[in-house]
Structure formats: C-alpha cells, structure tokens
Amino acid sequence: MLTHTKIQNAKPKDKPYKVADYGGLYLQITPNGSKLWGLKYYYLQKEKKLSIGAYPAISLADAREVREKAKKLLAQGQDPSLAKQEEKRKKLQSASNSFEKIAREWFDHAGGIWTEDTRRTKMRRLEMYVFPVIGHLPITDIGPMTVLDCIRKVEAQQAYDVARRLKQMISRIFKYAVLNGKVNGDPTPALDGALKPVKRGHFAAITPEELPEFLSAMDRNDYRGFPETRLGLELMLHTFVRTIELIGAEWKEFDLDKAVWIVPASRMKTRKEHMVPLSRQVVEKLRQLHLITGRSTWVFPSQCNSRKHMSNNTIRTAIVRMGYGGRMTGHGFRALAMSTIKEKLKYRHEVVDRQLSHVHHNSVTRAYDRAQWLDERKEMMQAWSDYIDQLRGKTLPEKS
C-alpha cells in the first residue's frame, strides 16, 4: 500500500515506472517528475486502464475513492472507462447548453413577430437582469430557487412589473428548451405566488399641485444624474410622450428648424406615425442635447453601450432618487400633463388626448380620432412649456 511518504520519496528515473497501491490502483512516475494515477482492471476478460489524474491535484484518498466507484460500476456490469467518457460528454453538453445560449436561441426563434423596439427591450432586460446571474449556468442545473433568487434581485429595485415579465420570459425559454430536448421541465410554475403582486390601475403620477416642488427637485439635481438624464426628464415633462418613444428616439426624427418631431409607427402603441409639435423651450433643450449626443444615432445613447439607447430604467431610477418612488413614474408625466393642461390651461380634452396618441377601442371614438387639431396642439404645447417656466419663476418673452 502506498503512503504519502512513499509517494513523496518516489523519484523520477530514465524511464517511466509504476508504484502500486492495491486493487489495481497505481502511480506512474515519469522521467520529467510527473506522478500520474491509473487504475488497471478487467472488463469482459480484457485488461483495461483508467486514467485518474495527476498527483497532488488528485490525492491518494481521492484516487482510492475513484477506484471504489470503478469497482461498483464493474459489479453492475459497466465499464468504468466508458462511464467516464459518458460523464465527460454530459458535462460538455451541459456546458454548451448554458441558459444564455438557449435564451438567445429562443430569442432568435420567437423574435420574428416582435417589433424592433420590443426585441431591444426584451434582450436588454435579459442582458441587464438575467444573464449576469444565471446566464452562465447549464440550463439543466437551474431550479425554482435559482430562478427566484434572480427575480428577487429585480424586485429589490422595486421593478415589480419587470420582475413579473422576466419570470414569464424565463418560462418561455424553458418551454423552448423542453421542446428541443435540452431540459426535462420548466421550474417557474413552482414560483406561482412567490413574487410580489403588481398593483393594477393607473400609473403613479403627482398632482398638478405637486408639480412646483417636483420641478424644484429636478432643478436641484436630487437624482445626481448625467446631463442626458436631466434633459431626458425635461423632455418627458414637456412632450409627455411614452418612455419608449423618448428613449428610442433617433436624431433623424427631428426637424428643429420646423420645431416638429415625427415618432415612427414602429415605436408607437397605436402603430401609427405620431407628430409632436416642439415648443421653443424643447427645441432649445434638444439643441443643448445635440452638443452632447449629436454624433450618435440615438438622442439618448446608453452610457454602457453607445450602440444602444438609454434604458427606461434610467428614467425610473432618477425619479426614485428624487424621492418620488411610488408617487411618480415615466408614464405619470402623461397623466400629469392631461390633468394640468385641462384644469389649469383650459384646453379641450380631445386636443390633449390627440397629443397623447391614446389607443381608442370604441369605433366611434376611433373615427373622431382622425382629427388632428394640429394648430391647437402647437399652441397647447407652447402654452404647456410656458406654464412650466412660470412655475419655475422664469420671465417669459413677450408675444410678437
């Protein structure tokens, strides 16, 4: 039997030689000083050898454990060498079937029916929240608690709706993997009831009376953001477009000389091109922003990857840092504008509603929706920006 001392004292010679333990286990000493474990055994009356690994990475106790496992396999009629090859094959297959690899396969398979903005949003969420946590793991090794830990990290940021959507997306990825024989089941049904419920109803929005203090918080830079983030909040306030319509904006959509922004149909909820008249203040802010991001395709490029646009999480995080978490959202600018413009500026509901580009499900309402009221909308958008400036105590230029 070998001992640690005997192994240490085994010195290299001109030719390889073996020192035996027992039960077929041996240590081969090579001329260069390497010490390699091996196991000699008989399978179907033929002598065979199993390579175990190098000493001291594989200790004497480890090598003996491999020998005992090999003896059990032989007792069951299995060849230890073939079993080792099969285990290696499974590990390689498992490594090649990482969650991220399967998720990207599913994305390419399912993404044909999505708009380009939807594709970007879904992939951005996977890359931000999921791949860094479980993307490297073999999909076969991912159970309910692993998924839950990943989703809980999103909930910790108070992004409850995003967490719910990610759970749904992860479920679809697993179902795709099941259909392709890469995993046996979907672990996400076990999480039903585990996530915090998403409160349905209107998006959180401050009241017109709260707007002055909100403007003060913006002006104080309470959110400690980049200039692009500050200007993004300003444009959300002044134009009250949807968040995805703003963050996905490209410079080619704007004509600052004519003071108009044409949002393409692909980014609109209505799937119709939408015109946004730009007030004097908005044009000025866009010219400021062009000095910062004008070389990019995007009006709001991502700070992490200039080939992508800003994440909608940027706007949400800025609002939370201002102290308005749970009280205001990016979508809340739309509700704020609707109520304030109607109550304070006395514009007709139809004009504000048309500027909001609401989707109407009633056929009669859709028919009236064809009216553009463009002249009134231009006037209204300037009046809205002027009202914001007045709340800030700014002196407005006299009308010509």
Side-chain angles (χ1 to χ4, degrees):
M1 291 178 59
L2 288 174
T3 63
H4 178 69
T5 302
K6 289 181 180 179
I7 294 172
Q8 291 294 317
N9 291 336
K11 304 301 180 184
K13 299 179 180 179
D14 293 339
K15 294 182 178 181
Y17 69 98
K18 299 174 183 177
V19 289
D21 187 48
Y22 66 92
L25 180 65
Y26 62 87
L27 190 66
Q28 179 170 287
I29 316 300
T30 65
N32 65 9
S34 298
K35 298 176 181 180
L36 307 174
W37 290 109
L39 178 67
K40 183 175 73 173
Y41 65 96
Y42 289 88
Y43 181 71
L44 300 179
Q45 299 182 341
K46 290 184 179 180
E47 181 180 308
K48 304 192 74 172
K49 293 180 181 178
L50 176 69
S51 296
I52 297 175
Y55 177 89
I58 304 296
S59 68
L60 175 59
D62 292 337
R64 285 172 174 169
E65 184 177 344
V66 172
R67 179 190 60 207
E68 295 307 308
K69 288 181 179 179
K71 288 170 63 177
K72 289 181 181 179
L73 289 171
L74 287 168
Q76 296 167 6
Q78 299 182 55
D79 184 345
S81 293
L82 293 178
K84 181 181 178 181
Q85 292 174 20
E86 178 63 14
E87 183 179 0
K88 182 179 180 180
R89 185 193 67 80
K90 287 182 178 179
K91 287 182 178 179
L92 288 173
Q93 183 183 36
S94 181
S96 67
N97 286 338
S98 69
F99 181 85
E100 180 173 349
K101 180 177 181 295
I102 303 303
R104 291 187 183 276
E105 284 183 14
W106 164 80
F107 187 86
D108 291 339
H109 173 78
I113 62 173
W114 303 326
T115 66
E116 187 57 33
D117 283 314
T118 299
R119 285 175 60 85
R120 280 197 292 262
T121 298
K122 288 181 179 293
M123 181 51 69
R124 187 167 59 249
R125 284 173 175 169
L126 287 170
E127 291 176 342
M128 285 181 60
Y129 301 117
V130 180
F131 292 165
V133 182
I134 64 174
H136 64 288
L137 297 176
I139 196 166
T140 51
D141 292 353
I142 298 174
M145 295 309 298
T146 307
V147 175
L148 183 60
D149 287 344
C150 176
I151 300 300
R152 284 273 164 82
K153 287 178 169 58
V154 183
E155 284 190 328
Q157 300 178 42
Q158 299 181 0
Y160 302 123
D161 186 61
V162 174
R164 178 183 62 83
R165 292 175 185 273
L166 283 175
K167 175 179 173 288
Q168 293 173 347
M169 200 162 12
I170 291 171
S171 177
R172 293 188 184 112
I173 293 167
F174 268 97
K175 288 174 181 175
Y176 170 82
V178 170
L179 291 174
N180 286 274
K182 299 178 184 294
V183 72
N184 292 328
D186 173 12
T188 60
L191 304 182
D192 290 348
L195 301 186
K196 293 183 178 180
V198 178
K199 185 179 180 180
R200 297 299 177 189
H202 298 294
F203 290 92
I206 60 173
T207 65
E209 291 68 32
E210 294 175 295
L211 179 54
E213 177 53 38
F214 186 83
L215 293 172
S216 296
M218 287 177 62
D219 294 341
R220 291 193 304 266
N221 192 17
D222 284 356
Y223 49 92
R224 303 178 301 282
F226 291 102
E228 301 95 303
T229 306
R230 174 179 60 81
L231 289 167
L233 284 169
E234 288 284 351
L235 293 180
M236 286 287 291
L237 174 64
H238 283 265
T239 64
F240 46 89
V241 294
R242 295 178 179 87
T243 306
I244 190 62
E245 294 162 11
L246 180 79
I247 64 175
E250 300 182 26
W251 281 113
K252 65 182 181 182
E253 299 167 9
F254 293 83
D255 187 332
L256 298 185
D257 293 330
K258 294 182 179 179
V260 66
W261 171 20
I262 305 296
V263 185
S266 62
R267 210 162 63 254
M268 293 299 300
K269 190 174 183 179
T270 59
R271 293 295 178 257
K272 296 178 183 178
E273 189 177 85
H274 181 53
M275 179 181 289
V276 182
L278 304 177
S279 67
R280 182 186 66 258
Q281 292 89 333
V282 170
V283 170
E284 181 183 344
K285 294 178 192 304
L286 283 167
R287 293 193 189 282
Q288 293 174 20
L289 187 57
H290 194 269
L291 296 174
I292 303 172
T293 69
R295 293 185 178 181
S296 172
T297 298
W298 308 107
V299 177
F300 295 97
S302 167
Q303 292 288 336
C304 302
N305 186 345
S306 61
R307 291 177 296 178
K308 299 180 180 180
H309 61 66
M310 175 191 288
S311 164
N312 59 3
N313 194 49
T314 303
I315 299 294
R316 186 192 66 81
T317 300
I319 292 171
V320 171
R321 285 180 175 175
M322 286 170 61
Y324 284 83
R327 298 167 56 199
M328 186 59 169
T329 61
H331 205 87
F333 287 107
R334 293 167 62 78
L336 173 66
M338 169 67 91
S339 57
T340 311
I341 291 173
K342 287 169 61 178
E343 292 175 17
K344 306 294 184 181
L345 305 184
K346 306 302 180 183
Y347 279 86
R348 292 182 296 125
H349 173 86
E350 293 84 358
V351 179
V352 190
D353 196 62
R354 186 65 192 88
Q355 189 56 52
L356 286 164
S357 186
H358 277 150
V359 180
H360 297 293
H361 302 287
N362 180 279
S363 59
V364 176
T365 307
R366 283 200 303 271
Y368 281 109
D369 188 52
R370 288 196 293 267
Q372 296 294 315
W373 294 300
L374 187 56
D375 290 339
E376 286 185 77
R377 285 161 54 200
K378 289 180 179 178
E379 178 189 291
M380 178 189 71
M381 297 300 278
Q382 185 59 59
W384 172 234
S385 288
D386 288 345
Y387 177 76
I388 293 169
D389 276 358
Q390 286 176 339
L391 292 179
R392 282 175 157 151
K394 294 183 179 180
T395 302
L396 300 178
E398 293 184 5
K399 294 183 179 180
S400 58

